[in-house]
Amino acid sequence: RINKICRRERVYRMKKNFIVIGLGRFGSNVAITLAETNSDVLAVDIDKDAVKSVSKKVPHCVIADATNLDVLTELGAGSIDHAVVAIGNNLEASILTIVNLKKLNVKKITVRADEEGHKELFKMIGATEVIIPEENAAVFLANQIKSDSIIDYYIIDKDYVMVKINVGKKFTSRTLADLNIRNEFDVNIVGIVRDDEFRIP
């Protein structure tokens, strides 16, 4: 069963497109952020109030049951580049949704998990990435507060992170060649912010 609650045109096929299934706090933030960056995103939830709330900021959203393969097919999920399953607190619904997305050959499926034990299960049935929001937030916070210099901290994979950091006069008064950052610290500089302007070194 699908109820259209706001404008839903199939324009999301024109460029990289996303479907976000489950519009709790996590899913809503993902959908809204994607919409704000002009990505083509379809927001889906079985709960009318959740969809209504998101519809104020996401142009394409529907009330629908993603555990039903026919429903996902009608929504055009088979042409989606990346699906985000953020159902949360409903293991069965998450599993059925992942299986349906795999049947529709969605190549990238990011799934929200509430427990560490669900990670392996979700990956076994087709998830390409599984995240635990609280865990990620905890890691980010710990790394941010352990140093007064760290502004932002992004985990890229298990071996690499990207860090935005304040630097002292010891660094700003010397050239990058003199600092020899890569050899001294095993770090690559990808950008410099000076006077609120981002520059590529």
PDB file of all heavy atoms in Angstrom, residues 133-156:
ATOM      1  N   PRO A 133      24.770   4.305  14.627  1.00  0.00           N
ATOM      2  CA  PRO A 133      24.916   5.748  14.806  1.00  0.00           C
ATOM      3  C   PRO A 133      25.520   6.155  16.144  1.00  0.00           C
ATOM      4  O   PRO A 133      26.407   7.016  16.204  1.00  0.00           O
ATOM      5  CB  PRO A 133      23.478   6.267  14.677  1.00  0.00           C
ATOM      6  CG  PRO A 133      22.791   5.247  13.847  1.00  0.00           C
ATOM      7  CD  PRO A 133      23.403   3.936  14.229  1.00  0.00           C
ATOM      8  N   GLU A 134      25.056   5.539  17.212  1.00  0.00           N
ATOM      9  CA  GLU A 134      25.553   5.898  18.533  1.00  0.00           C
ATOM     10  C   GLU A 134      27.040   5.573  18.661  1.00  0.00           C
ATOM     11  O   GLU A 134      27.809   6.321  19.259  1.00  0.00           O
ATOM     12  CB  GLU A 134      24.770   5.171  19.622  1.00  0.00           C
ATOM     13  CG  GLU A 134      23.312   5.600  19.748  1.00  0.00           C
ATOM     14  CD  GLU A 134      22.414   4.972  18.686  1.00  0.00           C
ATOM     15  OE1 GLU A 134      22.907   4.121  17.915  1.00  0.00           O
ATOM     16  OE2 GLU A 134      21.230   5.337  18.627  1.00  0.00           O
ATOM     17  N   GLU A 135      27.450   4.455  18.070  1.00  0.00           N
ATOM     18  CA  GLU A 135      28.848   4.047  18.118  1.00  0.00           C
ATOM     19  C   GLU A 135      29.711   5.036  17.343  1.00  0.00           C
ATOM     20  O   GLU A 135      30.762   5.470  17.806  1.00  0.00           O
ATOM     21  CB  GLU A 135      28.986   2.640  17.517  1.00  0.00           C
ATOM     22  CG  GLU A 135      30.399   2.101  17.493  1.00  0.00           C
ATOM     23  CD  GLU A 135      30.441   0.727  16.827  1.00  0.00           C
ATOM     24  OE1 GLU A 135      30.244  -0.266  17.531  1.00  0.00           O
ATOM     25  OE2 GLU A 135      30.662   0.679  15.596  1.00  0.00           O
ATOM     26  N   ASN A 136      29.258   5.410  16.149  1.00  0.00           N
ATOM     27  CA  ASN A 136      30.004   6.362  15.335  1.00  0.00           C
ATOM     28  C   ASN A 136      30.107   7.720  16.022  1.00  0.00           C
ATOM     29  O   ASN A 136      31.153   8.378  15.988  1.00  0.00           O
ATOM     30  CB  ASN A 136      29.334   6.530  13.971  1.00  0.00           C
ATOM     31  CG  ASN A 136      29.546   5.319  13.087  1.00  0.00           C
ATOM     32  OD1 ASN A 136      30.151   4.345  13.503  1.00  0.00           O
ATOM     33  ND2 ASN A 136      29.051   5.378  11.871  1.00  0.00           N
ATOM     34  N   ALA A 137      29.013   8.141  16.642  1.00  0.00           N
ATOM     35  CA  ALA A 137      29.008   9.423  17.339  1.00  0.00           C
ATOM     36  C   ALA A 137      29.962   9.394  18.528  1.00  0.00           C
ATOM     37  O   ALA A 137      30.662  10.372  18.805  1.00  0.00           O
ATOM     38  CB  ALA A 137      27.593   9.769  17.804  1.00  0.00           C
ATOM     39  N   ALA A 138      30.019   8.253  19.220  1.00  0.00           N
ATOM     40  CA  ALA A 138      30.907   8.118  20.371  1.00  0.00           C
ATOM     41  C   ALA A 138      32.375   8.188  19.953  1.00  0.00           C
ATOM     42  O   ALA A 138      33.197   8.843  20.600  1.00  0.00           O
ATOM     43  CB  ALA A 138      30.632   6.802  21.095  1.00  0.00           C
ATOM     44  N   VAL A 139      32.701   7.513  18.849  1.00  0.00           N
ATOM     45  CA  VAL A 139      34.078   7.537  18.344  1.00  0.00           C
ATOM     46  C   VAL A 139      34.461   8.950  17.929  1.00  0.00           C
ATOM     47  O   VAL A 139      35.550   9.436  18.234  1.00  0.00           O
ATOM     48  CB  VAL A 139      34.237   6.566  17.150  1.00  0.00           C
ATOM     49  CG1 VAL A 139      35.592   6.747  16.480  1.00  0.00           C
ATOM     50  CG2 VAL A 139      34.081   5.117  17.629  1.00  0.00           C
ATOM     51  N   PHE A 140      33.536   9.625  17.227  1.00  0.00           N
ATOM     52  CA  PHE A 140      33.787  11.000  16.803  1.00  0.00           C
ATOM     53  C   PHE A 140      34.026  11.900  18.008  1.00  0.00           C
ATOM     54  O   PHE A 140      34.985  12.683  18.046  1.00  0.00           O
ATOM     55  CB  PHE A 140      32.600  11.521  15.992  1.00  0.00           C
ATOM     56  CG  PHE A 140      32.678  12.990  15.688  1.00  0.00           C
ATOM     57  CD1 PHE A 140      33.421  13.445  14.623  1.00  0.00           C
ATOM     58  CD2 PHE A 140      32.010  13.911  16.485  1.00  0.00           C
ATOM     59  CE1 PHE A 140      33.501  14.805  14.352  1.00  0.00           C
ATOM     60  CE2 PHE A 140      32.078  15.257  16.219  1.00  0.00           C
ATOM     61  CZ  PHE A 140      32.826  15.715  15.141  1.00  0.00           C
ATOM     62  N   LEU A 141      33.164  11.798  19.019  1.00  0.00           N
ATOM     63  CA  LEU A 141      33.281  12.647  20.196  1.00  0.00           C
ATOM     64  C   LEU A 141      34.588  12.390  20.937  1.00  0.00           C
ATOM     65  O   LEU A 141      35.292  13.331  21.321  1.00  0.00           O
ATOM     66  CB  LEU A 141      32.093  12.411  21.127  1.00  0.00           C
ATOM     67  CG  LEU A 141      32.123  13.185  22.456  1.00  0.00           C
ATOM     68  CD1 LEU A 141      32.092  14.679  22.188  1.00  0.00           C
ATOM     69  CD2 LEU A 141      30.960  12.776  23.349  1.00  0.00           C
ATOM     70  N   ALA A 142      34.928  11.115  21.138  1.00  0.00           N
ATOM     71  CA  ALA A 142      36.145  10.775  21.872  1.00  0.00           C
ATOM     72  C   ALA A 142      37.380  11.348  21.190  1.00  0.00           C
ATOM     73  O   ALA A 142      38.284  11.894  21.841  1.00  0.00           O
ATOM     74  CB  ALA A 142      36.271   9.256  22.012  1.00  0.00           C
ATOM     75  N   ASN A 143      37.427  11.231  19.871  1.00  0.00           N
ATOM     76  CA  ASN A 143      38.587  11.740  19.140  1.00  0.00           C
ATOM     77  C   ASN A 143      38.595  13.260  19.085  1.00  0.00           C
ATOM     78  O   ASN A 143      39.667  13.875  19.026  1.00  0.00           O
ATOM     79  CB  ASN A 143      38.608  11.165  17.726  1.00  0.00           C
ATOM     80  CG  ASN A 143      39.121   9.744  17.704  1.00  0.00           C
ATOM     81  OD1 ASN A 143      40.314   9.495  17.842  1.00  0.00           O
ATOM     82  ND2 ASN A 143      38.219   8.793  17.546  1.00  0.00           N
ATOM     83  N   GLN A 144      37.422  13.862  19.117  1.00  0.00           N
ATOM     84  CA  GLN A 144      37.362  15.319  19.079  1.00  0.00           C
ATOM     85  C   GLN A 144      37.798  15.937  20.404  1.00  0.00           C
ATOM     86  O   GLN A 144      38.534  16.924  20.427  1.00  0.00           O
ATOM     87  CB  GLN A 144      35.942  15.768  18.743  1.00  0.00           C
ATOM     88  CG  GLN A 144      35.823  17.283  18.520  1.00  0.00           C
ATOM     89  CD  GLN A 144      34.412  17.673  18.166  1.00  0.00           C
ATOM     90  OE1 GLN A 144      33.457  17.128  18.706  1.00  0.00           O
ATOM     91  NE2 GLN A 144      34.260  18.618  17.253  1.00  0.00           N
ATOM     92  N   ILE A 145      37.378  15.350  21.508  1.00  0.00           N
ATOM     93  CA  ILE A 145      37.666  15.956  22.804  1.00  0.00           C
ATOM     94  C   ILE A 145      39.028  15.571  23.373  1.00  0.00           C
ATOM     95  O   ILE A 145      39.496  16.188  24.317  1.00  0.00           O
ATOM     96  CB  ILE A 145      36.572  15.609  23.837  1.00  0.00           C
ATOM     97  CG1 ILE A 145      36.567  14.104  24.143  1.00  0.00           C
ATOM     98  CG2 ILE A 145      35.219  16.089  23.361  1.00  0.00           C
ATOM     99  CD1 ILE A 145      35.551  13.717  25.215  1.00  0.00           C
ATOM    100  N   LYS A 146      39.675  14.566  22.781  1.00  0.00           N
ATOM    101  CA  LYS A 146      40.975  14.167  23.329  1.00  0.00           C
ATOM    102  C   LYS A 146      42.068  15.182  23.012  1.00  0.00           C
ATOM    103  O   LYS A 146      43.137  15.167  23.594  1.00  0.00           O
ATOM    104  CB  LYS A 146      41.367  12.774  22.827  1.00  0.00           C
ATOM    105  CG  LYS A 146      41.815  12.712  21.383  1.00  0.00           C
ATOM    106  CD  LYS A 146      42.194  11.289  21.018  1.00  0.00           C
ATOM    107  CE  LYS A 146      42.694  11.197  19.580  1.00  0.00           C
ATOM    108  NZ  LYS A 146      43.013   9.804  19.200  1.00  0.00           N
ATOM    109  N   SER A 147      41.781  16.082  22.082  1.00  0.00           N
ATOM    110  CA  SER A 147      42.742  17.120  21.740  1.00  0.00           C
ATOM    111  C   SER A 147      42.005  18.428  21.528  1.00  0.00           C
ATOM    112  O   SER A 147      40.980  18.472  20.848  1.00  0.00           O
ATOM    113  CB  SER A 147      43.513  16.753  20.469  1.00  0.00           C
ATOM    114  OG  SER A 147      44.268  17.852  20.011  1.00  0.00           O
ATOM    115  N   ASP A 148      42.526  19.513  22.094  1.00  0.00           N
ATOM    116  CA  ASP A 148      41.914  20.824  21.915  1.00  0.00           C
ATOM    117  C   ASP A 148      42.075  21.328  20.495  1.00  0.00           C
ATOM    118  O   ASP A 148      41.415  22.282  20.085  1.00  0.00           O
ATOM    119  CB  ASP A 148      42.541  21.841  22.880  1.00  0.00           C
ATOM    120  CG  ASP A 148      42.201  21.538  24.335  1.00  0.00           C
ATOM    121  OD1 ASP A 148      41.139  20.916  24.567  1.00  0.00           O
ATOM    122  OD2 ASP A 148      42.988  21.919  25.216  1.00  0.00           O
ATOM    123  N   SER A 149      42.955  20.693  19.716  1.00  0.00           N
ATOM    124  CA  SER A 149      43.229  21.156  18.353  1.00  0.00           C
ATOM    125  C   SER A 149      42.272  20.566  17.322  1.00  0.00           C
ATOM    126  O   SER A 149      42.100  21.118  16.244  1.00  0.00           O
ATOM    127  CB  SER A 149      44.675  20.800  17.959  1.00  0.00           C
ATOM    128  OG  SER A 149      45.596  21.434  18.818  1.00  0.00           O
ATOM    129  N   ILE A 150      41.673  19.410  17.639  1.00  0.00           N
ATOM    130  CA  ILE A 150      40.825  18.725  16.657  1.00  0.00           C
ATOM    131  C   ILE A 150      39.457  19.399  16.575  1.00  0.00           C
ATOM    132  O   ILE A 150      38.766  19.576  17.564  1.00  0.00           O
ATOM    133  CB  ILE A 150      40.662  17.239  17.016  1.00  0.00           C
ATOM    134  CG1 ILE A 150      42.009  16.518  16.881  1.00  0.00           C
ATOM    135  CG2 ILE A 150      39.621  16.577  16.113  1.00  0.00           C
ATOM    136  CD1 ILE A 150      41.972  15.055  17.259  1.00  0.00           C
ATOM    137  N   ILE A 151      39.071  19.782  15.334  1.00  0.00           N
ATOM    138  CA  ILE A 151      37.777  20.421  15.086  1.00  0.00           C
ATOM    139  C   ILE A 151      36.766  19.395  14.600  1.00  0.00           C
ATOM    140  O   ILE A 151      35.640  19.330  15.067  1.00  0.00           O
ATOM    141  CB  ILE A 151      37.925  21.548  14.050  1.00  0.00           C
ATOM    142  CG1 ILE A 151      38.942  22.586  14.547  1.00  0.00           C
ATOM    143  CG2 ILE A 151      36.571  22.198  13.767  1.00  0.00           C
ATOM    144  CD1 ILE A 151      39.316  23.613  13.512  1.00  0.00           C
ATOM    145  N   ASP A 152      37.166  18.588  13.613  1.00  0.00           N
ATOM    146  CA  ASP A 152      36.303  17.538  13.057  1.00  0.00           C
ATOM    147  C   ASP A 152      37.123  16.279  12.838  1.00  0.00           C
ATOM    148  O   ASP A 152      38.342  16.342  12.604  1.00  0.00           O
ATOM    149  CB  ASP A 152      35.686  17.971  11.723  1.00  0.00           C
ATOM    150  CG  ASP A 152      34.475  18.857  11.924  1.00  0.00           C
ATOM    151  OD1 ASP A 152      33.657  18.532  12.802  1.00  0.00           O
ATOM    152  OD2 ASP A 152      34.354  19.862  11.211  1.00  0.00           O
ATOM    153  N   TYR A 153      36.440  15.140  12.892  1.00  0.00           N
ATOM    154  CA  TYR A 153      37.120  13.843  12.789  1.00  0.00           C
ATOM    155  C   TYR A 153      36.228  12.898  12.011  1.00  0.00           C
ATOM    156  O   TYR A 153      35.102  12.621  12.413  1.00  0.00           O
ATOM    157  CB  TYR A 153      37.376  13.297  14.198  1.00  0.00           C
ATOM    158  CG  TYR A 153      38.183  12.023  14.275  1.00  0.00           C
ATOM    159  CD1 TYR A 153      39.556  12.059  14.503  1.00  0.00           C
ATOM    160  CD2 TYR A 153      37.572  10.777  14.153  1.00  0.00           C
ATOM    161  CE1 TYR A 153      40.292  10.890  14.611  1.00  0.00           C
ATOM    162  CE2 TYR A 153      38.303   9.603  14.247  1.00  0.00           C
ATOM    163  CZ  TYR A 153      39.663   9.675  14.483  1.00  0.00           C
ATOM    164  OH  TYR A 153      40.387   8.512  14.587  1.00  0.00           O
ATOM    165  N   TYR A 154      36.688  12.435  10.842  1.00  0.00           N
ATOM    166  CA  TYR A 154      35.878  11.570   9.987  1.00  0.00           C
ATOM    167  C   TYR A 154      36.586  10.231   9.777  1.00  0.00           C
ATOM    168  O   TYR A 154      37.753  10.207   9.361  1.00  0.00           O
ATOM    169  CB  TYR A 154      35.642  12.213   8.619  1.00  0.00           C
ATOM    170  CG  TYR A 154      35.070  13.605   8.698  1.00  0.00           C
ATOM    171  CD1 TYR A 154      35.898  14.718   8.666  1.00  0.00           C
ATOM    172  CD2 TYR A 154      33.694  13.799   8.805  1.00  0.00           C
ATOM    173  CE1 TYR A 154      35.368  15.998   8.739  1.00  0.00           C
ATOM    174  CE2 TYR A 154      33.164  15.073   8.878  1.00  0.00           C
ATOM    175  CZ  TYR A 154      34.006  16.177   8.843  1.00  0.00           C
ATOM    176  OH  TYR A 154      33.494  17.439   8.923  1.00  0.00           O
ATOM    177  N   ILE A 155      35.901   9.139  10.057  1.00  0.00           N
ATOM    178  CA  ILE A 155      36.462   7.811   9.824  1.00  0.00           C
ATOM    179  C   ILE A 155      36.208   7.439   8.376  1.00  0.00           C
ATOM    180  O   ILE A 155      35.062   7.380   7.929  1.00  0.00           O
ATOM    181  CB  ILE A 155      35.831   6.768  10.761  1.00  0.00           C
ATOM    182  CG1 ILE A 155      36.100   7.137  12.227  1.00  0.00           C
ATOM    183  CG2 ILE A 155      36.370   5.376  10.451  1.00  0.00           C
ATOM    184  CD1 ILE A 155      35.363   6.256  13.212  1.00  0.00           C
ATOM    185  N   ILE A 156      37.277   7.183   7.614  1.00  0.00           N
ATOM    186  CA  ILE A 156      37.139   6.774   6.224  1.00  0.00           C
ATOM    187  C   ILE A 156      37.060   5.261   6.125  1.00  0.00           C
ATOM    188  O   ILE A 156      36.189   4.716   5.459  1.00  0.00           O
ATOM    189  CB  ILE A 156      38.319   7.321   5.387  1.00  0.00           C
ATOM    190  CG1 ILE A 156      38.298   8.854   5.417  1.00  0.00           C
ATOM    191  CG2 ILE A 156      38.237   6.804   3.948  1.00  0.00           C
ATOM    192  CD1 ILE A 156      39.471   9.500   4.765  1.00  0.00           C
TER     193      ILE A 156
END
